[in-house]
Amino acid sequence: MSILAELKDRFRRALVDLPDVDLAEDVEELLELIRRSTDPRFGDYQANFAMPLGKRLSRPPREVAAQIVEHLEVDDLCDPPEIAGPGFINLRIKNRCLAERLAAAVGDQRLGIPAAARPRTYVIDYSAPNVAKPMHVGHIRSTVIGDALYKILSFLGHQTISDNHLGDWGTQFGMIIYGFRHFLDEQAYQRDPVGELARLYQLVRQLMDYHAKDQPAAVHGDPTLSRLAAEHKDIGSAVLAETASLHEGDEQNVRLWREFMPACQQEIDRIYQRLGVRFDYTLGESFYNDRLQAIVDDLLARGIARESEGAVCVFLEGHEIPMLVRKQDGAFLYATSDLATVRYRMEHFNPDAILYVVDHRQALHFEHLFATARLMGYGDVELTHVSFGTVLGEDGRPFKTRSGETVGLEGLLDEAVHRAAQIVAAGDDAKPGGPELSADERKRIAEIVGIGALKYADLSQNRTSDYLFSYDKMLAMNGNTATYMQYAYARVRSIFAKGSADVEALRTSGTPILLDSPAERALGLQLLRMAEALDLAVLDYRPNQLTNYLFELADCYSTFYESCPVLKAETDAVRQSRLLLCDLTARTICKGLELLGIDVVERM
Ligand code: ARG
């Protein structure tokens, strides 16, 4: 158990034992008020519930605090608790307890982090791009946040199933099929199928926009486009018809779809490979095509949905707009396949929770979906929309290229790696003894640093906020960035290279950990807090709890490194103990970054 969890446990017992007070359901809520102290003068942890409790019982909070402390058994963990101010209970963990836990972490692959007491089964739905159009900056968030949650939950011992719900069946295929029939450049298609499909998609998109009511004025300046637009006046309805006939199983359209899909899949796989992301399942929208009619029939039969002006809708209590599951023309919708997906997942994976890591703009869709799923009888499963904000450019507007197009994901990765390469080269050139890295090593490190920077920049944001995309900020050597963490890691590892210390031998040597100076103690305590950070990260599905933790860890390490000589420590015992603290720091950073899907390098 983490120290915090242990403290909560002890307080739970003390609170339940309080005479004349029945706290029943409130205990867990009160226990949430045990927090780490922000100022070490007030101990390591603080219990702040005597104030609300005193108010409830109409008694002075200090008196309530004293009564709780009387019932509290923490002698083995803490120095005697102190009551401060209006009734704060300050707790300072005994050095002996810290040293013991650190020693246990040293000898443990899991760094002493326990698995969840009650493992659950999670289906995590993330990435899910609409294929056949190039992946863009918006996809990075879902992919990276989902992957981090997947890794964290797995590490905590939960059963996790990742499912990439590809948009592989939508209107974009009607668009591409239309484009293929009318505008195909055969040679370009042979050379680069995905590139040509993307071009066709863009072109059809532009032509449809041209005819749309609120078309961007710019398109009218282009004579070729104007000419094509005049020749394809009904492109909007023609595209819908192509999509509909695909869905109905039209032989030619299905054949084209089958022809396009492998290339589209390859395209996104290349990006996943570069990002180091893989999925247990990729059951896209197309997978559910022949299950949609049954869903609608079932909803109708059970009175959950009803016909309205030829369409089929689910009217939901508290929602003004109904959820449409079949259009007047008989077409099924995104919502229909999502309902089929819920059913499939429940029947095949029987999860305790399904997490949807999707843009906040789909909030209403998920409210509808979850409410309908409840009506369908899926009452117990946790359904959560892990929503996230928009990626903004430095001008504070949604991130676009100069010409106003969305930024392709691949170009983004290339640029981050390109800039990382410059940073790595400059750092290496500036080394006192001259450069140490070969061209190949530099290249490998740049890829890791560049991709890591991009991921970390995203993960370190409060996911619900929009965030400002900036290469300079994400690659900064100082600050809450992957580069800083990777650099900290490499620095710690270099101590071992310099001191030619044998890490493996040290880990099994049983060397006691000494925490006599404040900086050693603070580092030791922070090392033991990883479990708390992970608990917080899954509580609300927020990977930034982990990045915050790592950043604080790096900070504690800096202070330690400045004030506590390691290789030149005053005695051998102190040197060994400090080396162990260094080793644990490196391992903790490495594990933390790994759970965020980020690699480290031994030298940079
Ligand atoms: N393909 C969708 C989009 O790009 C996201 C799908 C999210 N997952 C889901 N089960 N609805 O907007």
Side-chain angles (χ1 to χ4, degrees), residues 125-130 139 142 165-168 285 334 338 341 345 356-359 362 365-366 369:
D125 178 320
Y126 59 98
S127 196
N130 295 332
H139 292 118
S142 173
H165 189 73
L166 285 187
D168 58 1
E285 290 173 21
Y334 182 52
D338 251 333
T341 307
R345 288 172 176 163
Y356 296 84
V357 187
V358 185
D359 195 300
Q362 296 194 25
H365 166 71
F366 286 108
L369 178 67

Side-chain angles (χ1 to χ4, degrees), residues 323-401:
M323 182 168 80
L324 198 58
V325 291
R326 198 177 69 204
K327 289 201 265 186
Q328 274 159 319
D329 63 8
F332 300 112
L333 299 102
Y334 182 52
T336 329
S337 58
D338 251 333
L339 286 171
T341 307
V342 172
R343 170 173 286 174
Y344 182 86
R345 288 172 176 163
M346 292 310 293
E347 286 171 1
H348 286 79
F349 307 125
N350 189 26
D352 298 295
I354 308 178
L355 312 181
Y356 296 84
V357 187
V358 185
D359 195 300
H360 69 104
R361 281 168 293 193
Q362 296 194 25
L364 186 64
H365 166 71
F366 286 108
E367 277 179 41
H368 282 170
L369 178 67
F370 299 166
T372 308
R374 301 289 179 225
L375 295 176
M376 285 166 74
Y378 303 120
D380 293 334
V381 62
E382 173 196 330
L383 297 169
T384 300
H385 176 196
V386 179
S387 83
F388 54 79
T390 308
V391 182
L392 305 176
E394 302 206 42
D395 56 359
R397 317 263 301 267
F399 192 47
K400 296 270 165 71
T401 59

Side-chain angles (χ1 to χ4, degrees), residues 372-564:
T372 308
R374 301 289 179 225
L375 295 176
M376 285 166 74
Y378 303 120
D380 293 334
V381 62
E382 173 196 330
L383 297 169
T384 300
H385 176 196
V386 179
S387 83
F388 54 79
T390 308
V391 182
L392 305 176
E394 302 206 42
D395 56 359
R397 317 263 301 267
F399 192 47
K400 296 270 165 71
T401 59
R402 277 210 193 116
S403 59
E405 281 158 42
T406 50
V407 181
L409 192 46
E410 189 134 57
L412 222 61
L413 300 182
D414 288 341
E415 182 67 18
V417 170
H418 173 70
R419 295 193 188 213
Q422 291 174 336
I423 291 172
V424 170
D428 195 36
D429 288 341
K431 281 178 189 158
E436 294 168 5
L437 305 169
S438 70
D440 273 358
E441 277 176 297
R442 284 187 179 194
K443 204 165 162 229
R444 191 182 68 87
I445 295 171
E447 181 81 15
I448 291 177
V449 170
I451 305 269
L454 208 65
K455 288 188 176 185
Y456 194 100
D458 202 307
L459 293 166
S460 58
Q461 305 299 319
N462 179 351
R463 64 172 164 77
T464 41
S465 338
D466 295 344
Y467 89 89
L468 228 57
F469 189 94
S470 152
Y471 288 113
D472 290 337
K473 280 206 193 99
M474 73 174 68
L475 283 158
M477 285 288 208
N478 270 309
N480 191 8
T481 64
T483 317
Y484 174 63
M485 297 307 309
Q486 286 164 327
Y487 189 63
Y489 173 84
R491 249 186 9 190
V492 186
R493 299 287 300 155
S494 74
I495 294 176
F496 286 88
K498 240 185 272 158
S500 53
D502 180 348
V503 199
E504 296 298 330
L506 184 65
R507 286 181 197 159
T508 50
S509 62
T511 303
I513 295 197
L514 311 169
L515 301 170
D516 297 320
S517 76
E520 285 169 308
R521 192 180 181 282
L523 176 60
L525 182 63
Q526 180 68 8
L527 283 167
L528 291 173
R529 279 188 170 141
M530 170 99 150
E532 287 169 33
L534 294 178
D535 283 346
L536 278 176
V538 298
L539 183 71
D540 214 5
Y541 309 118
R542 288 185 192 277
N544 68 323
Q545 297 282 5
L546 180 52
T547 58
N548 289 348
Y549 164 79
L550 290 173
F551 188 48
E552 281 169 35
L553 174 62
D555 210 33
C556 288
Y557 180 77
S558 283
T559 312
F560 160 83
Y561 192 73
E562 274 158 31
S563 61
C564 304

